[in-house]
Amino acid sequence: LYLDPHTKHYPGMQEVLKGWCPGIGHPDKAMHCDFLHTVRGEPLYFEITDNYDDLRERLPGLLKRARQTLDWPLDKVLTLIVDRAVFGLETFAKIQADPALHLITWEKGYQADGSWPAEKVSGKMVIERSRNRVNDKRIYRFEYIDEGWSRQAGMRRLQVRATNPQGRMVELAILTDDLDRAAVEIIGLMFKRWLQENDFK
């Protein structure tokens, strides 16, 4: 599941906490909208709240209510693909302790140091992305290093070098507690998060 929180300016009369509103460029009453989408970008579940709790604190209740609403059993294994909003060692530990939950997220604060040990590269892959016409394709190339994460036992880190069709390269790191899922699937899921943006628009 793709999990994405969005913050919107709230112009209504309810007692809503203030927060930073990107749409207006200053703090004001703000509502946080938590969305769950399938990996095909289809909307499944949606909640509105304010910023009393951040997403890490909202997450257990959000998932509990989503399971109840969607009639999913408690032992149905869910994998959440989310941006850095849930980053935190304590949050990772709670997810690791839940056999019905996995997480895929970016490593917050990752800094490429300019070195890329070719001898440690675990694999390479390609993603084709169609634009407005099915035959108008863009090719994105990836190579990755798959290893444990030194900051927390049981967490896996994929260092990824991604090159777009224009040849621009970025280096990022993906973290997950899922030790069995194929690296190419994890990278593909993370780099296709734009699918859910179609629904937001």
Side-chain angles (χ1 to χ4, degrees):
L1 302 172
Y2 287 132
L3 168 60
D4 203 6
H6 277 246
T7 301
K8 299 295 181 186
H9 180 222
Y10 174 71
M13 300 296 292
Q14 296 297 320
E15 293 292 331
V16 173
L17 291 174
K18 291 186 176 181
W20 180 260
C21 301
I24 61 174
H26 60 78
D28 204 339
K29 285 184 179 180
M31 60 181 184
H32 293 286
C33 312
D34 296 329
F35 294 84
L36 287 173
H37 287 80
T38 70
V39 294
R40 293 182 297 275
E42 300 157 338
L44 285 176
Y45 186 76
F46 166 70
E47 284 188 358
I48 296 177
T49 184
D50 62 19
N51 64 342
Y52 182 78
D53 294 319
D54 71 18
L55 184 59
R56 290 169 294 188
E57 296 165 315
R58 298 196 303 268
L59 187 60
L62 171 69
L63 293 177
K64 180 181 178 181
R65 291 184 293 273
R67 284 183 185 273
Q68 290 170 343
T69 301
L70 299 167
D71 198 25
W72 287 342
L74 294 177
D75 60 352
K76 178 181 175 69
V77 180
L78 306 178
T79 297
L80 298 179
I81 304 144
V82 61
D83 211 334
R84 297 170 181 85
V86 296
F87 188 91
L89 301 184
E90 184 178 340
T91 303
F92 295 161
K94 289 178 181 176
I95 290 170
Q96 285 176 286
D98 186 344
L101 189 60
H102 286 305
L103 175 70
I104 300 172
T105 188
W106 298 115
E107 180 179 351
K108 190 174 184 178
Y110 176 79
Q111 295 289 330
D113 60 9
S115 65
W116 183 256
E119 71 280 2
K120 292 180 67 176
V121 169
S122 307
K124 299 180 180 183
M125 61 180 286
V126 169
I127 292 178
E128 283 189 0
R129 180 176 173 183
S130 295
R131 302 214 302 173
N132 292 331
R133 297 183 305 277
V134 71
N135 59 349
D136 185 5
K137 295 187 183 297
R138 295 292 183 267
I139 305 297
Y140 298 82
R141 303 183 186 281
F142 302 84
E143 60 179 7
Y144 59 90
I145 298 170
D146 188 352
E147 59 189 1
W149 191 39
S150 61
R151 291 185 61 190
Q152 188 147 331
M155 291 291 289
R156 179 180 174 193
R157 182 203 217 189
L158 296 168
Q159 290 174 262
V160 182
R161 275 194 165 182
T163 306
N164 72 8
Q166 291 74 41
R168 179 173 172 266
M169 188 271 292
V170 296
E171 186 177 324
L172 303 156
I174 300 170
L175 299 175
T176 183
D177 68 312
D178 192 336
L179 306 181
D180 298 320
R181 192 181 297 262
V184 293
E185 184 181 359
I186 292 169
I187 294 166
L189 289 168
M190 202 64 192
F191 278 87
K192 291 179 182 176
R193 288 182 65 250
W194 54 268
L195 279 170
Q196 64 190 325
E197 301 294 334
N198 295 334
D199 184 50
F200 299 141
K201 297 299 182 186

Short mmCIF file of all heavy atoms in Angstrom, two decimals, residues 93-134:
data_model
loop_
_atom_site.label_atom_id
_atom_site.label_comp_id
_atom_site.label_asym_id
_atom_site.label_seq_id
_atom_site.Cartn_x
_atom_site.Cartn_y
_atom_site.Cartn_z
N ALA A 93 11.24 -0.15 15.11
CA ALA A 93 11.21 -1.27 16.05
C ALA A 93 9.78 -1.78 16.25
O ALA A 93 9.54 -3.00 16.32
CB ALA A 93 11.81 -0.85 17.39
N LYS A 94 8.81 -0.88 16.32
CA LYS A 94 7.41 -1.29 16.48
C LYS A 94 6.92 -2.06 15.25
O LYS A 94 6.20 -3.05 15.37
CB LYS A 94 6.53 -0.07 16.72
CG LYS A 94 6.73 0.57 18.09
CD LYS A 94 5.87 1.82 18.24
CE LYS A 94 6.08 2.46 19.60
NZ LYS A 94 5.33 3.73 19.73
N ILE A 95 7.32 -1.59 14.08
CA ILE A 95 6.91 -2.28 12.85
C ILE A 95 7.59 -3.65 12.77
O ILE A 95 6.96 -4.64 12.38
CB ILE A 95 7.23 -1.40 11.63
CG1 ILE A 95 6.29 -0.19 11.61
CG2 ILE A 95 7.13 -2.19 10.33
CD1 ILE A 95 6.65 0.87 10.60
N GLN A 96 8.85 -3.72 13.16
CA GLN A 96 9.55 -5.00 13.15
C GLN A 96 8.88 -6.02 14.09
O GLN A 96 8.90 -7.22 13.82
CB GLN A 96 11.01 -4.82 13.57
CG GLN A 96 11.89 -4.18 12.51
CD GLN A 96 13.29 -3.93 13.03
OE1 GLN A 96 13.52 -3.02 13.82
NE2 GLN A 96 14.23 -4.75 12.58
N ALA A 97 8.29 -5.52 15.16
CA ALA A 97 7.67 -6.41 16.15
C ALA A 97 6.27 -6.87 15.73
O ALA A 97 5.70 -7.75 16.37
CB ALA A 97 7.58 -5.69 17.50
N ASP A 98 5.73 -6.30 14.66
CA ASP A 98 4.39 -6.64 14.19
C ASP A 98 4.49 -7.60 13.00
O ASP A 98 4.90 -7.19 11.92
CB ASP A 98 3.64 -5.37 13.78
CG ASP A 98 2.18 -5.61 13.43
OD1 ASP A 98 1.81 -6.78 13.20
OD2 ASP A 98 1.41 -4.64 13.37
N PRO A 99 4.11 -8.86 13.16
CA PRO A 99 4.25 -9.82 12.06
C PRO A 99 3.31 -9.54 10.89
O PRO A 99 3.48 -10.12 9.81
CB PRO A 99 3.92 -11.17 12.72
CG PRO A 99 3.09 -10.82 13.91
CD PRO A 99 3.58 -9.49 14.38
N ALA A 100 2.33 -8.66 11.07
CA ALA A 100 1.37 -8.35 10.01
C ALA A 100 1.66 -7.02 9.34
O ALA A 100 0.79 -6.44 8.70
CB ALA A 100 -0.06 -8.36 10.57
N LEU A 101 2.89 -6.52 9.50
CA LEU A 101 3.21 -5.21 8.94
C LEU A 101 4.66 -5.16 8.46
O LEU A 101 5.56 -5.63 9.14
CB LEU A 101 2.98 -4.12 10.00
CG LEU A 101 3.05 -2.67 9.54
CD1 LEU A 101 2.00 -2.37 8.48
CD2 LEU A 101 2.86 -1.73 10.73
N HIS A 102 4.86 -4.60 7.28
CA HIS A 102 6.19 -4.30 6.74
C HIS A 102 6.23 -2.85 6.30
O HIS A 102 5.20 -2.24 6.01
CB HIS A 102 6.53 -5.20 5.55
CG HIS A 102 6.85 -6.61 5.91
ND1 HIS A 102 7.84 -6.95 6.81
CD2 HIS A 102 6.31 -7.79 5.49
CE1 HIS A 102 7.89 -8.26 6.93
NE2 HIS A 102 6.97 -8.79 6.14
N LEU A 103 7.44 -2.33 6.21
CA LEU A 103 7.63 -0.93 5.82
C LEU A 103 8.72 -0.82 4.76
O LEU A 103 9.75 -1.50 4.84
CB LEU A 103 8.05 -0.11 7.05
CG LEU A 103 8.41 1.36 6.80
CD1 LEU A 103 7.16 2.16 6.44
CD2 LEU A 103 9.09 1.96 8.03
N ILE A 104 8.48 0.05 3.79
CA ILE A 104 9.49 0.45 2.82
C ILE A 104 9.51 1.97 2.82
O ILE A 104 8.48 2.60 2.60
CB ILE A 104 9.18 -0.09 1.40
CG1 ILE A 104 9.12 -1.62 1.40
CG2 ILE A 104 10.21 0.41 0.40
CD1 ILE A 104 8.62 -2.22 0.09
N THR A 105 10.67 2.57 3.08
CA THR A 105 10.75 4.02 3.16
C THR A 105 12.14 4.50 2.76
O THR A 105 13.08 3.71 2.63
CB THR A 105 10.41 4.51 4.59
OG1 THR A 105 10.30 5.93 4.62
CG2 THR A 105 11.47 4.08 5.60
N TRP A 106 12.27 5.80 2.53
CA TRP A 106 13.58 6.39 2.25
C TRP A 106 14.37 6.52 3.55
O TRP A 106 13.79 6.71 4.62
CB TRP A 106 13.45 7.78 1.65
CG TRP A 106 12.75 7.86 0.34
CD1 TRP A 106 11.56 8.49 0.08
CD2 TRP A 106 13.20 7.35 -0.92
NE1 TRP A 106 11.24 8.38 -1.26
CE2 TRP A 106 12.22 7.68 -1.89
CE3 TRP A 106 14.32 6.63 -1.32
CZ2 TRP A 106 12.34 7.32 -3.23
CZ3 TRP A 106 14.43 6.27 -2.66
CH2 TRP A 106 13.46 6.61 -3.58
N GLU A 107 15.68 6.46 3.45
CA GLU A 107 16.53 6.78 4.60
C GLU A 107 16.66 8.30 4.71
O GLU A 107 17.14 8.96 3.79
CB GLU A 107 17.92 6.16 4.46
CG GLU A 107 18.81 6.48 5.65
CD GLU A 107 20.20 5.86 5.55
OE1 GLU A 107 20.44 5.05 4.64
OE2 GLU A 107 21.04 6.22 6.39
N LYS A 108 16.21 8.82 5.82
CA LYS A 108 16.25 10.27 6.04
C LYS A 108 17.69 10.70 6.31
O LYS A 108 18.40 10.08 7.08
CB LYS A 108 15.35 10.64 7.22
CG LYS A 108 15.12 12.11 7.41
CD LYS A 108 14.10 12.33 8.51
CE LYS A 108 13.76 13.79 8.65
NZ LYS A 108 12.71 13.99 9.71
N GLY A 109 18.11 11.77 5.65
CA GLY A 109 19.44 12.31 5.88
C GLY A 109 20.55 11.57 5.17
O GLY A 109 21.73 11.82 5.44
N TYR A 110 20.22 10.66 4.26
CA TYR A 110 21.26 9.93 3.54
C TYR A 110 22.10 10.90 2.70
O TYR A 110 21.56 11.73 1.97
CB TYR A 110 20.64 8.87 2.63
CG TYR A 110 21.66 8.14 1.78
CD1 TYR A 110 22.44 7.13 2.32
CD2 TYR A 110 21.85 8.48 0.45
CE1 TYR A 110 23.38 6.46 1.55
CE2 TYR A 110 22.78 7.81 -0.34
CZ TYR A 110 23.54 6.81 0.22
OH TYR A 110 24.46 6.16 -0.55
N GLN A 111 23.40 10.79 2.82
CA GLN A 111 24.31 11.64 2.07
C GLN A 111 25.26 10.76 1.26
O GLN A 111 26.00 9.95 1.82
CB GLN A 111 25.14 12.53 3.02
CG GLN A 111 24.32 13.54 3.80
CD GLN A 111 23.80 14.66 2.93
OE1 GLN A 111 24.43 15.03 1.94
NE2 GLN A 111 22.65 15.21 3.28
N ALA A 112 25.21 10.92 -0.05
CA ALA A 112 26.17 10.22 -0.90
C ALA A 112 27.54 10.83 -0.69
O ALA A 112 27.68 12.06 -0.71
CB ALA A 112 25.75 10.32 -2.35
N ASP A 113 28.56 9.99 -0.48
CA ASP A 113 29.90 10.52 -0.22
C ASP A 113 30.78 10.56 -1.46
O ASP A 113 31.97 10.85 -1.39
CB ASP A 113 30.59 9.71 0.88
CG ASP A 113 30.75 8.24 0.52
OD1 ASP A 113 30.49 7.88 -0.65
OD2 ASP A 113 31.12 7.45 1.41
N GLY A 114 30.17 10.26 -2.61
CA GLY A 114 30.94 10.33 -3.85
C GLY A 114 31.59 9.02 -4.25
O GLY A 114 31.99 8.84 -5.39
N SER A 115 31.70 8.10 -3.29
CA SER A 115 32.28 6.79 -3.63
C SER A 115 31.16 5.80 -3.90
O SER A 115 30.11 5.84 -3.26
CB SER A 115 33.14 6.28 -2.48
OG SER A 115 32.35 6.01 -1.34
N TRP A 116 31.36 4.96 -4.87
CA TRP A 116 30.38 3.93 -5.20
C TRP A 116 31.15 2.65 -5.46
O TRP A 116 31.68 2.43 -6.54
CB TRP A 116 29.55 4.34 -6.42
CG TRP A 116 28.48 3.36 -6.77
CD1 TRP A 116 28.49 2.45 -7.80
CD2 TRP A 116 27.23 3.15 -6.10
NE1 TRP A 116 27.33 1.71 -7.81
CE2 TRP A 116 26.53 2.12 -6.78
CE3 TRP A 116 26.63 3.74 -4.98
CZ2 TRP A 116 25.27 1.67 -6.38
CZ3 TRP A 116 25.36 3.29 -4.59
CH2 TRP A 116 24.70 2.28 -5.29
N PRO A 117 31.24 1.77 -4.45
CA PRO A 117 32.07 0.56 -4.60
C PRO A 117 31.45 -0.42 -5.59
O PRO A 117 30.52 -1.17 -5.25
CB PRO A 117 32.10 -0.01 -3.18
CG PRO A 117 30.87 0.54 -2.52
CD PRO A 117 30.60 1.87 -3.14
N ALA A 118 31.96 -0.43 -6.81
CA ALA A 118 31.40 -1.28 -7.86
C ALA A 118 31.43 -2.75 -7.47
O ALA A 118 30.55 -3.52 -7.88
CB ALA A 118 32.18 -1.06 -9.16
N GLU A 119 32.42 -3.14 -6.66
CA GLU A 119 32.53 -4.55 -6.28
C GLU A 119 31.40 -4.99 -5.33
O GLU A 119 31.15 -6.18 -5.16
CB GLU A 119 33.89 -4.83 -5.63
CG GLU A 119 34.09 -4.22 -4.25
CD GLU A 119 34.45 -2.74 -4.26
OE1 GLU A 119 34.51 -2.16 -5.35
OE2 GLU A 119 34.67 -2.19 -3.16
N LYS A 120 30.70 -4.02 -4.71
CA LYS A 120 29.61 -4.34 -3.79
C LYS A 120 28.23 -4.30 -4.46
O LYS A 120 27.22 -4.59 -3.81
CB LYS A 120 29.64 -3.38 -2.60
CG LYS A 120 30.85 -3.56 -1.69
CD LYS A 120 30.82 -2.57 -0.53
CE LYS A 120 29.67 -2.85 0.41
NZ LYS A 120 29.68 -1.95 1.60
N VAL A 121 28.18 -3.90 -5.72
CA VAL A 121 26.89 -3.79 -6.41
C VAL A 121 26.20 -5.15 -6.46
O VAL A 121 26.78 -6.14 -6.89
CB VAL A 121 27.06 -3.20 -7.83
CG1 VAL A 121 25.77 -3.34 -8.63
CG2 VAL A 121 27.47 -1.74 -7.74
N SER A 122 24.94 -5.18 -5.98
CA SER A 122 24.19 -6.43 -5.90
C SER A 122 23.42 -6.73 -7.17
O SER A 122 23.10 -7.89 -7.45
CB SER A 122 23.20 -6.37 -4.73
OG SER A 122 23.85 -6.02 -3.53
N GLY A 123 23.08 -5.69 -7.94
CA GLY A 123 22.32 -5.91 -9.15
C GLY A 123 21.98 -4.62 -9.87
O GLY A 123 22.24 -3.52 -9.37
N LYS A 124 21.40 -4.78 -11.06
CA LYS A 124 20.98 -3.64 -11.88
C LYS A 124 19.57 -3.92 -12.40
O LYS A 124 19.15 -5.08 -12.49
CB LYS A 124 21.94 -3.43 -13.05
CG LYS A 124 23.37 -3.11 -12.62
CD LYS A 124 24.28 -2.90 -13.81
CE LYS A 124 25.70 -2.60 -13.34
NZ LYS A 124 26.62 -2.32 -14.47
N MET A 125 18.84 -2.86 -12.75
CA MET A 125 17.49 -3.02 -13.25
C MET A 125 17.10 -1.81 -14.09
O MET A 125 17.80 -0.78 -14.07
CB MET A 125 16.49 -3.19 -12.10
CG MET A 125 16.44 -2.01 -11.14
SD MET A 125 15.28 -2.20 -9.79
CE MET A 125 13.71 -1.95 -10.61
N VAL A 126 15.99 -1.94 -14.82
CA VAL A 126 15.48 -0.87 -15.67
C VAL A 126 13.98 -0.74 -15.41
O VAL A 126 13.28 -1.75 -15.24
CB VAL A 126 15.74 -1.19 -17.17
CG1 VAL A 126 14.98 -0.23 -18.06
CG2 VAL A 126 17.23 -1.14 -17.47
N ILE A 127 13.49 0.49 -15.36
CA ILE A 127 12.05 0.76 -15.30
C ILE A 127 11.68 1.55 -16.55
O ILE A 127 12.31 2.56 -16.86
CB ILE A 127 11.67 1.55 -14.04
CG1 ILE A 127 11.86 0.69 -12.78
CG2 ILE A 127 10.22 2.04 -14.13
CD1 ILE A 127 11.54 1.41 -11.48
N GLU A 128 10.66 1.08 -17.26
CA GLU A 128 10.11 1.81 -18.40
C GLU A 128 8.85 2.54 -17.93
O GLU A 128 7.98 1.94 -17.31
CB GLU A 128 9.73 0.86 -19.54
CG GLU A 128 10.89 0.35 -20.33
CD GLU A 128 10.45 -0.40 -21.58
OE1 GLU A 128 9.21 -0.51 -21.80
OE2 GLU A 128 11.31 -0.88 -22.32
N ARG A 129 8.78 3.81 -18.23
CA ARG A 129 7.62 4.60 -17.84
C ARG A 129 7.00 5.24 -19.08
O ARG A 129 7.66 6.00 -19.79
CB ARG A 129 8.02 5.68 -16.84
CG ARG A 129 6.87 6.55 -16.37
CD ARG A 129 7.34 7.53 -15.31
NE ARG A 129 6.28 8.46 -14.97
CZ ARG A 129 6.42 9.47 -14.13
NH1 ARG A 129 7.58 9.67 -13.54
NH2 ARG A 129 5.42 10.29 -13.88
N SER A 130 5.74 4.90 -19.35
CA SER A 130 5.04 5.50 -20.48
C SER A 130 4.52 6.88 -20.10
O SER A 130 4.07 7.10 -18.99
CB SER A 130 3.87 4.61 -20.92
OG SER A 130 4.33 3.38 -21.39
N ARG A 131 4.57 7.79 -21.04
CA ARG A 131 4.03 9.12 -20.79
C ARG A 131 2.60 9.19 -21.33
O ARG A 131 1.82 8.29 -21.08
CB ARG A 131 4.95 10.17 -21.42
CG ARG A 131 6.38 10.06 -20.86
CD ARG A 131 7.09 11.35 -20.75
NE ARG A 131 7.18 12.05 -22.02
CZ ARG A 131 7.66 13.29 -22.14
NH1 ARG A 131 8.10 13.93 -21.08
NH2 ARG A 131 7.73 13.88 -23.32
N ASN A 132 2.22 10.22 -22.06
CA ASN A 132 0.83 10.37 -22.50
C ASN A 132 0.44 9.37 -23.58
O ASN A 132 -0.74 9.10 -23.77
CB ASN A 132 0.59 11.79 -23.02
CG ASN A 132 0.66 12.80 -21.89
OD1 ASN A 132 0.36 12.46 -20.75
ND2 ASN A 132 1.05 14.01 -22.18
N ARG A 133 1.41 8.84 -24.29
CA ARG A 133 1.15 7.82 -25.30
C ARG A 133 1.92 6.56 -24.93
O ARG A 133 3.04 6.63 -24.44
CB ARG A 133 1.59 8.31 -26.69
CG ARG A 133 0.82 9.54 -27.19
CD ARG A 133 1.25 9.92 -28.60
NE ARG A 133 2.68 10.13 -28.73
CZ ARG A 133 3.29 11.27 -28.40
NH1 ARG A 133 2.61 12.29 -27.91
NH2 ARG A 133 4.60 11.39 -28.57
N VAL A 134 1.28 5.43 -25.17
CA VAL A 134 1.86 4.17 -24.72
C VAL A 134 3.23 3.90 -25.35
O VAL A 134 4.09 3.26 -24.76
CB VAL A 134 0.88 3.00 -24.98
CG1 VAL A 134 0.79 2.70 -26.48
CG2 VAL A 134 1.30 1.75 -24.22
#
